[in-house]
């Protein structure tokens, strides 16, 4: 994008044709089953997203990212895919998808969809064929099957653990009824890993990417992008040896882990990039890659996916020094790779940041379930809020008001940064984690498979409240597939619309101003003399100040165009961010 023109100055057609639209886009993640239910069956659907396009346009986002909407048994929230080129019939049809894409594009909103290439579901036609086929068959070669150890193959091929707990290997019953081979599943047993050394897998995913690109999809979010490539040559290392290396200074920064972040995965993404560049504008991609910061750039390279999530802010406490280092380091890394940075505080895998920031310091650091393997060597540092949830979410340890105040301040800071901002549905309402979910109503497999260690991710996936009335708060019909708490009525969309100072109106105003003010992908830090106050400027006289401390801070000269909370006699109070535009 030109440094002399803002997004707001571009016409609709120019914005939609801009090949660099993604570099500083505000992307809104939708978890389809929990966004809006158009047919009243308790489950969000594709028509529900189409119905809420006006809401998304009013919010001011540049793109929507859809979590999986494919046919699935929901063994892992839709990340167990039965058919990569179809829509779950419980959510709609391909025709519904086309209508949604057209409505989003007419509103000037790009469409990004989730692709899950590391594994399929165990209901995928190829896996069913593999189970019905003999050892050594072409059907089995699409997945990772191995003979077991022990006298009769009764022991798994290695002692590795899956992310969701228990062995990473599952033994099958052969077609003749005998105990047989084992297949690999990094995640749930219902998610068998593909064999990416098989050319048929590579060709089929190229077909899938083209299928959705031809239907108008503008980009892809690549789930577990650091998986796929694997080295399972014998002898497989013991998990204790992997853990020991992971906790050394260098960890697996040489790409030698048997199944995480291997160099060979980039051969796949080079093929994908060639396909993406056949389109005008080129299709975009962003990698979900929980890797060492020194290895992130390869995922974000122009020859690869083009962009990679950095989860560093998401993993940080509400702390000025931590934020400044993370922002500085990631902007340098983005410039070196040619990508733009990504900023995110909440998503479908982590405790919402309005809750994390309300917990005692040191207990607020977020962690995605996909990053929970010790042997990756990339696991987030500190706690993640799960301990508080596992302890029963004691109310006296959560400061709800402080959590929301800090979440608003952090989000306003995020929206001022160069690069793309990823927002998760409901954060614009100030929603916190839902803790009031009975065990019998939980859905996340990590809760059931790893009780006492994982509380699961259902608390951030509860259906949105649209109105304060009704048993489902306007989500659709009379029910919602996960229980909504009574306090949702105070956070509903219609409760906040038009209310000055509401979190929804804060996001709307900030996103509008962001489009008007944003130009170059650079910032300049301004010395404040206060270690707990961060101040940076953007091109054109746009300044952002965040007070992480306890004492009110004197703002720079200019006009305050938006603040995350009320000022105190013109000063910036604690846990507050303000944008200031210097007077001409």
């Amino acid at each position: 994008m030109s440094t002399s023109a803002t997004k707001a100055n571009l016409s609709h057609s120019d914005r939609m044709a801009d090949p660099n639209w993604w570099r500083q886009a505000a992307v809104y993640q939708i978890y389809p089953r929990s966004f809006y239910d158009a047919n009243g069956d308790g489950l969000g659907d594709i028509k529900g997203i189409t119905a809420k396009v006006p809401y998304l346009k009013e919010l001011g986002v540049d793109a929507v990212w859809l979590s999986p909407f494919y046919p699935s048994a929901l063994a892992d929230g839709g990340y167990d895919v039965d058919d990569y080129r179809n829509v779950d019939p419980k959510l709609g049809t391909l025709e519904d998808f086309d209508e949604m894409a057209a409505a989003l594009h007419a509103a000037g909103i790009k469409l990004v969809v989730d692709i899950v290439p590391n594994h399929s579901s165990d209901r995928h036609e190829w896996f069913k064929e593999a189970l019905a086929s003999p050892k050594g068959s072409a059907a089995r070669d699409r997945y990772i099957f191995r003979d077991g150890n022990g006298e009769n193959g009764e022991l798994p091929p290695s002692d590795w653990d899956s992310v969701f707990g228990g062995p990473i290997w599952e033994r099958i019953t052969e077609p003749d009824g005998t105990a047989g081979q084992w297949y690999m599943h990094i995640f749930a047993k219902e998610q068998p890993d593909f064999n990416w050394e098989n050319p048929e897998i590579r060709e089929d995913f190229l077909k899938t990417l083209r299928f959705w690109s031809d239907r108008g999809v503008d980009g892809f979010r690549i789930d577990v992008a650091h998986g796929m490539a694997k080295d399972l040559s014998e002898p497989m290392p013991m998990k204790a040896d992997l853990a020991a290396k992971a906790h050394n200074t260098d960890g697996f920064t040489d790409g030698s882990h048997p199944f995480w972040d291997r160099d060979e995965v980039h051969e796949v993404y080079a093929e994908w990039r060639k396909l993406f560049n056949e389109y005008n504008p080129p299709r975009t991609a962003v990698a979900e890659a929980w890797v060492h910061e020194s290895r992130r750039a390869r995922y974000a390279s122009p020859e690869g996916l083009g962009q990679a999530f950095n989860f560093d802010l998401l993993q940080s406490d509400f702390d000025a020094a931590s934020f400044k280092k993370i922002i500085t380091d990631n902007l340098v890394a983005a410039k070196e790779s040619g990508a733009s940075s990504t900023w995110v505080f909440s998503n479908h895998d982590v405790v919402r940041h309005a809750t994390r920031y309300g917990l005692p310091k040191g207990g607020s650091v977020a962690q995605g379930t996909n990053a929970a393997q010790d042997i990756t060597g990339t696991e987030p540092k500190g706690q993640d809020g799960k301990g508080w949830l596992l302890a029963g979410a004691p109310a006296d340890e959560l400061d709800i008001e402080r959590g929301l105040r800090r979440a608003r301040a952090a989000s306003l800071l995020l929206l001022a940064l160069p690069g793309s901002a990823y927002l998760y549905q409901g954060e614009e309402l100030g929603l916190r984690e839902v803790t009031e979910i009975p065990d019998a109503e939980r859905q996340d497999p990590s809760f059931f498979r790893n009780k006492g260690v994982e509380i699961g991710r259902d608390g951030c996936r509860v259906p949105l409240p649209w109105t304060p009335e009704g048993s489902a708060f306007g989500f659709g019909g009379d029910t919602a597939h996960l229980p909504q708490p009574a306090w949702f009525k105070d956070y509903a969309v219609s409760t906040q619309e038009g209310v000055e100072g509401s979190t929804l109106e804060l996001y709307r105003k900030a996103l509008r101003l962001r489009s008007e003010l944003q130009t170059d992908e650079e910032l300049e830090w301004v010395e404040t003399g206060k270690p707990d106050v961060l101040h940076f400027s953007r091109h054109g006289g746009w300044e952002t100040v965040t007070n992480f401390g306890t004492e009110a801070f004197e703002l720079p000269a200019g006009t305050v165009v938006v603040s995350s909370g009320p000022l105190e006699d013109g000063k910036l109070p604690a846990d507050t961010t303000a944008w200031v535009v210097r007077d001409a």
Side-chain angles (χ1 to χ4, degrees), residues 9-282:
N9 293 330
L10 296 175
S11 68
H12 176 276
S13 58
D14 286 342
R15 285 200 308 274
M16 297 306 286
D18 181 9
N20 294 315
W21 68 266
W22 53 276
R23 296 191 66 89
Q24 298 198 78
V27 184
Y28 184 89
Q29 181 190 357
I30 289 179
Y31 190 73
R33 291 166 174 81
S34 295
F35 186 64
Y36 182 67
D37 172 16
N39 64 5
D41 65 356
L43 201 63
D45 43 44
I46 300 298
K47 283 184 176 291
I49 298 169
T50 305
K52 294 300 183 181
V53 167
Y55 171 81
L56 297 167
K57 183 176 181 179
E58 179 68 16
L59 184 59
V61 296
D62 300 302
V64 159
W65 153 30
L66 289 192
S67 289
F69 52 87
Y70 312 106
S72 171
L74 302 183
D76 182 21
Y79 286 88
D80 48 315
V81 178
D82 299 349
D83 181 351
Y84 288 86
R85 297 188 285 273
N86 211 336
V87 174
D88 191 323
K90 295 186 290 295
L91 304 186
T93 65
L94 283 170
E95 289 71 24
D96 295 334
F97 182 93
D98 294 341
E99 291 176 7
M100 175 196 65
L104 287 167
H105 287 158
I109 299 171
K110 297 281 190 175
L111 175 58
V112 176
V113 301
D114 235 310
I115 289 291
V116 189
N118 180 72
H119 49 263
S120 73
S121 80
D122 60 354
R123 305 196 315 175
H124 192 287
E125 63 179 4
W126 276 358
F127 191 71
K128 290 189 289 187
E129 183 184 354
L131 294 181
S133 300
K135 172 183 171 180
S137 63
R140 291 234 176 141
D141 190 57
R142 297 184 185 122
Y143 292 89
I144 300 174
F145 281 86
R146 293 290 184 274
D147 292 334
N149 291 324
E151 185 176 349
N152 299 302
E154 71 276 9
L155 300 175
S158 73
D159 67 344
W160 304 337
D161 295 325
S162 74
V163 169
F164 290 149
I168 206 169
W169 299 94
E170 183 75 12
R171 197 174 194 186
I172 69 165
T173 299
E174 297 290 351
D176 63 4
T178 61
Q181 287 191 298
W182 300 71
Y183 68 86
M184 184 177 181
H185 58 93
I186 292 179
F187 297 94
K189 67 178 182 178
E190 295 88 352
Q191 295 168 289
D193 283 25
F194 281 121
N195 172 21
W196 273 87
E197 292 184 4
N198 186 320
E200 193 173 2
I201 301 299
R202 297 195 180 205
E203 286 301 318
D204 198 68
F205 269 91
L206 290 172
K207 184 177 180 180
T208 292
L209 294 170
R210 193 177 299 282
F211 177 88
W212 293 112
S213 296
D214 289 345
R215 296 193 96 91
V217 166
D218 302 286
F220 301 89
R221 179 263 189 187
I222 313 304
D223 183 63
V224 196
H226 59 309
M228 300 155 65
K230 298 173 175 68
D231 178 7
L232 304 183
S233 54
E234 300 287 352
M236 296 187 208
M238 301 292 288
K239 68 179 178 182
D241 295 330
L242 292 175
K245 181 171 181 178
H247 291 98
N248 288 337
T249 302
D250 295 331
F252 287 99
T253 55
D254 59 355
S256 62
H257 194 281
F259 55 84
W260 288 130
D261 188 32
R262 296 189 59 81
D263 293 340
E264 304 94 286
V265 77
H266 299 290
E267 298 171 9
V268 174
Y269 298 141
E271 291 181 344
W272 290 15
R273 175 45 55 194
K274 290 178 182 177
L275 184 151
F276 295 153
N277 288 347
E278 293 175 12
Y279 291 85
N280 185 24

Side-chain angles (χ1 to χ4, degrees), residues 301-320:
S301 74
E303 296 77 28
L305 295 175
Q307 195 175 48
F309 277 117
N310 94 67
F311 297 108
D312 299 341
L313 279 182
L314 182 150
Q315 298 175 50
S316 174
D317 276 310
F318 188 79
D319 178 84

